[in-house]
Amino acid sequence: MGETGKEEYKIQSFDSETQKLLKTALKDPSNVDLEKVANIIVDQSLKDCVFSKEAGRICYTIIQAESKQVGQSIFRRSLLNRLQQEYKDREELRTRSLQAWICYVTFICNIFDYLRVNNMPMMALVNPVYDCLFRLAQPDSLRKEEEVDCLVLQLHRIGEQLEKMNSQRMDELFSLLRDGFLVQEGLSSLSQLLLLEIIEFRAADWKMTDAAQKYYYSEVMD
């Protein structure tokens, strides 16, 4: 899942000392403070949504390297502890900074996408990820295009595998989205389009038909 070269490219926004620390963590994790590395990655992910989209790949590489080198999971444990901490404070985070909240959702979904136990997504992340997506499906969030856009992007990325882990919660989530699309006032035309697109995407077994792609792409471009 991605080569180290790509991960190194994505850490150019850090200062030189932090870049050196992260490069060492990617190749020789036993020689760095992995708890510190986990906190650096999470802190940056909450500030930088571009980085939060790529951070899963970096974390995956460090976890693989640590497992091969020392057979431990200090980094993974530190990462999950910090994710849990932010998860508990998610409503406060959203109130404080909508961008940081969107970055957090992007990050935790990215981690869910990349981290595997016996080639399966981590069960410990399933409900926290669902809870974040449910928060994005609430009426006040559906009135904010940034949150709708985040919700739809994450469902495109991990919706199918998330449904396999718990289909009942996915049914409940899409019931909220259909209600939001049909009855909620105050939705922008772009938000309505995004919601309709993701509802149809799931109905088509998480696939985008050619006709739908042409339609939605032309609508967004217009």
Side-chain angles (χ1 to χ4, degrees), residues 180-203:
F181 175 73
L182 292 170
V183 301
Q184 186 171 326
E185 295 179 359
L187 260 63
S188 72
S189 54
L190 177 59
S191 292
Q192 288 178 315
L193 188 72
L194 289 168
L195 288 176
L196 180 60
E197 186 272 318
I198 198 64
I199 289 166
E200 292 191 350
F201 184 66
R202 184 193 179 211

Short mmCIF file of all heavy atoms in Angstrom, two decimals, residues 180-203:
data_model
loop_
_atom_site.label_atom_id
_atom_site.label_comp_id
_atom_site.label_asym_id
_atom_site.label_seq_id
_atom_site.Cartn_x
_atom_site.Cartn_y
_atom_site.Cartn_z
N GLY A 180 -32.67 13.57 4.95
CA GLY A 180 -32.05 14.87 4.74
C GLY A 180 -32.26 15.38 3.33
O GLY A 180 -32.58 16.56 3.11
N PHE A 181 -32.11 14.49 2.36
CA PHE A 181 -32.28 14.87 0.96
C PHE A 181 -33.73 15.25 0.65
O PHE A 181 -34.00 16.21 -0.06
CB PHE A 181 -31.83 13.71 0.05
CG PHE A 181 -32.08 13.97 -1.41
CD1 PHE A 181 -31.30 14.87 -2.11
CD2 PHE A 181 -33.12 13.32 -2.07
CE1 PHE A 181 -31.54 15.12 -3.46
CE2 PHE A 181 -33.36 13.57 -3.41
CZ PHE A 181 -32.57 14.47 -4.11
N LEU A 182 -34.66 14.48 1.21
CA LEU A 182 -36.08 14.65 0.84
C LEU A 182 -36.79 15.76 1.61
O LEU A 182 -37.62 16.47 1.04
CB LEU A 182 -36.83 13.33 1.06
CG LEU A 182 -36.45 12.19 0.11
CD1 LEU A 182 -37.07 10.87 0.57
CD2 LEU A 182 -36.91 12.50 -1.32
N VAL A 183 -36.49 15.90 2.90
CA VAL A 183 -37.33 16.78 3.71
C VAL A 183 -36.61 17.97 4.34
O VAL A 183 -37.26 18.92 4.77
CB VAL A 183 -38.06 15.99 4.83
CG1 VAL A 183 -38.92 14.90 4.24
CG2 VAL A 183 -37.08 15.41 5.84
N GLN A 184 -35.29 17.91 4.40
CA GLN A 184 -34.62 18.99 5.13
C GLN A 184 -34.55 20.27 4.32
O GLN A 184 -34.22 20.26 3.13
CB GLN A 184 -33.21 18.57 5.54
CG GLN A 184 -32.55 19.63 6.42
CD GLN A 184 -31.25 19.17 7.02
OE1 GLN A 184 -31.10 18.00 7.35
NE2 GLN A 184 -30.31 20.08 7.17
N GLU A 185 -34.83 21.39 5.00
CA GLU A 185 -34.71 22.69 4.35
C GLU A 185 -33.31 23.24 4.58
O GLU A 185 -32.61 22.85 5.51
CB GLU A 185 -35.75 23.65 4.94
CG GLU A 185 -37.19 23.23 4.64
CD GLU A 185 -38.20 24.17 5.25
OE1 GLU A 185 -37.78 25.14 5.93
OE2 GLU A 185 -39.40 23.95 5.07
N GLY A 186 -32.91 24.14 3.70
CA GLY A 186 -31.63 24.83 3.90
C GLY A 186 -30.44 24.14 3.27
O GLY A 186 -29.31 24.57 3.47
N LEU A 187 -30.68 23.07 2.50
CA LEU A 187 -29.56 22.40 1.82
C LEU A 187 -29.22 23.16 0.54
O LEU A 187 -30.11 23.56 -0.21
CB LEU A 187 -29.94 20.96 1.45
CG LEU A 187 -29.45 19.84 2.35
CD1 LEU A 187 -30.05 19.98 3.74
CD2 LEU A 187 -29.81 18.49 1.78
N SER A 188 -27.94 23.33 0.29
CA SER A 188 -27.53 23.95 -0.97
C SER A 188 -27.77 22.98 -2.12
O SER A 188 -27.90 21.76 -1.91
CB SER A 188 -26.05 24.34 -0.92
OG SER A 188 -25.25 23.16 -0.98
N SER A 189 -27.80 23.49 -3.33
CA SER A 189 -28.02 22.62 -4.50
C SER A 189 -26.87 21.63 -4.64
O SER A 189 -27.08 20.47 -5.02
CB SER A 189 -28.19 23.45 -5.77
OG SER A 189 -27.09 24.32 -5.95
N LEU A 190 -25.63 22.06 -4.30
CA LEU A 190 -24.49 21.13 -4.37
C LEU A 190 -24.64 20.01 -3.34
O LEU A 190 -24.40 18.84 -3.65
CB LEU A 190 -23.18 21.88 -4.14
CG LEU A 190 -21.91 21.00 -4.13
CD1 LEU A 190 -21.75 20.25 -5.46
CD2 LEU A 190 -20.67 21.83 -3.83
N SER A 191 -25.06 20.36 -2.12
CA SER A 191 -25.26 19.33 -1.08
C SER A 191 -26.34 18.34 -1.50
O SER A 191 -26.19 17.12 -1.30
CB SER A 191 -25.63 19.99 0.25
OG SER A 191 -24.53 20.71 0.76
N GLN A 192 -27.42 18.83 -2.08
CA GLN A 192 -28.48 17.94 -2.56
C GLN A 192 -27.94 16.99 -3.63
O GLN A 192 -28.24 15.80 -3.63
CB GLN A 192 -29.65 18.76 -3.12
CG GLN A 192 -30.46 19.46 -2.06
CD GLN A 192 -31.58 20.30 -2.66
OE1 GLN A 192 -31.38 21.02 -3.64
NE2 GLN A 192 -32.76 20.21 -2.08
N LEU A 193 -27.14 17.53 -4.53
CA LEU A 193 -26.57 16.73 -5.60
C LEU A 193 -25.64 15.65 -5.04
O LEU A 193 -25.70 14.49 -5.45
CB LEU A 193 -25.80 17.63 -6.57
CG LEU A 193 -25.30 16.99 -7.87
CD1 LEU A 193 -26.45 16.71 -8.82
CD2 LEU A 193 -24.28 17.89 -8.55
N LEU A 194 -24.81 16.05 -4.07
CA LEU A 194 -23.88 15.10 -3.46
C LEU A 194 -24.62 13.98 -2.72
O LEU A 194 -24.24 12.81 -2.81
CB LEU A 194 -22.94 15.83 -2.49
CG LEU A 194 -21.88 16.74 -3.11
CD1 LEU A 194 -21.22 17.61 -2.04
CD2 LEU A 194 -20.82 15.93 -3.85
N LEU A 195 -25.67 14.34 -2.00
CA LEU A 195 -26.45 13.33 -1.27
C LEU A 195 -27.14 12.37 -2.23
O LEU A 195 -27.13 11.15 -2.02
CB LEU A 195 -27.49 14.01 -0.37
CG LEU A 195 -26.94 14.74 0.86
CD1 LEU A 195 -28.07 15.43 1.61
CD2 LEU A 195 -26.21 13.77 1.79
N LEU A 196 -27.73 12.92 -3.29
CA LEU A 196 -28.39 12.05 -4.28
C LEU A 196 -27.38 11.11 -4.92
O LEU A 196 -27.64 9.91 -5.09
CB LEU A 196 -29.07 12.91 -5.35
CG LEU A 196 -29.79 12.14 -6.47
CD1 LEU A 196 -30.91 11.27 -5.89
CD2 LEU A 196 -30.36 13.10 -7.51
N GLU A 197 -26.20 11.64 -5.21
CA GLU A 197 -25.16 10.83 -5.86
C GLU A 197 -24.73 9.67 -4.95
O GLU A 197 -24.61 8.53 -5.40
CB GLU A 197 -23.97 11.73 -6.21
CG GLU A 197 -22.88 11.04 -7.01
CD GLU A 197 -21.85 10.37 -6.11
OE1 GLU A 197 -21.47 10.95 -5.10
OE2 GLU A 197 -21.45 9.23 -6.45
N ILE A 198 -24.52 9.94 -3.65
CA ILE A 198 -24.05 8.87 -2.77
C ILE A 198 -25.16 7.85 -2.51
O ILE A 198 -24.89 6.65 -2.37
CB ILE A 198 -23.44 9.42 -1.45
CG1 ILE A 198 -22.56 8.36 -0.77
CG2 ILE A 198 -24.50 9.93 -0.50
CD1 ILE A 198 -21.34 7.94 -1.55
N ILE A 199 -26.40 8.30 -2.46
CA ILE A 199 -27.53 7.37 -2.29
C ILE A 199 -27.60 6.42 -3.49
O ILE A 199 -27.75 5.20 -3.34
CB ILE A 199 -28.86 8.15 -2.12
CG1 ILE A 199 -28.89 8.84 -0.74
CG2 ILE A 199 -30.06 7.21 -2.26
CD1 ILE A 199 -29.97 9.90 -0.58
N GLU A 200 -27.43 6.97 -4.68
CA GLU A 200 -27.46 6.14 -5.90
C GLU A 200 -26.22 5.26 -5.99
O GLU A 200 -26.28 4.13 -6.48
CB GLU A 200 -27.60 7.02 -7.13
CG GLU A 200 -28.96 7.71 -7.22
CD GLU A 200 -29.21 8.38 -8.56
OE1 GLU A 200 -28.26 8.48 -9.37
OE2 GLU A 200 -30.36 8.79 -8.80
N PHE A 201 -25.10 5.78 -5.53
CA PHE A 201 -23.84 5.03 -5.55
C PHE A 201 -23.96 3.75 -4.72
O PHE A 201 -23.59 2.66 -5.15
CB PHE A 201 -22.71 5.92 -5.01
CG PHE A 201 -21.34 5.33 -5.05
CD1 PHE A 201 -20.71 5.06 -6.26
CD2 PHE A 201 -20.65 5.06 -3.88
CE1 PHE A 201 -19.42 4.52 -6.31
CE2 PHE A 201 -19.36 4.53 -3.90
CZ PHE A 201 -18.75 4.26 -5.12
N ARG A 202 -24.52 3.89 -3.53
CA ARG A 202 -24.71 2.70 -2.68
C ARG A 202 -25.75 1.76 -3.28
O ARG A 202 -25.59 0.53 -3.27
CB ARG A 202 -25.13 3.10 -1.28
CG ARG A 202 -25.22 1.87 -0.35
CD ARG A 202 -25.93 2.19 0.94
NE ARG A 202 -26.03 1.02 1.80
CZ ARG A 202 -27.02 0.80 2.65
NH1 ARG A 202 -28.02 1.67 2.74
NH2 ARG A 202 -27.05 -0.28 3.40
N ALA A 203 -26.83 2.34 -3.83
CA ALA A 203 -27.88 1.51 -4.43
C ALA A 203 -27.35 0.68 -5.59
O ALA A 203 -27.84 -0.42 -5.87
CB ALA A 203 -29.04 2.39 -4.90
#
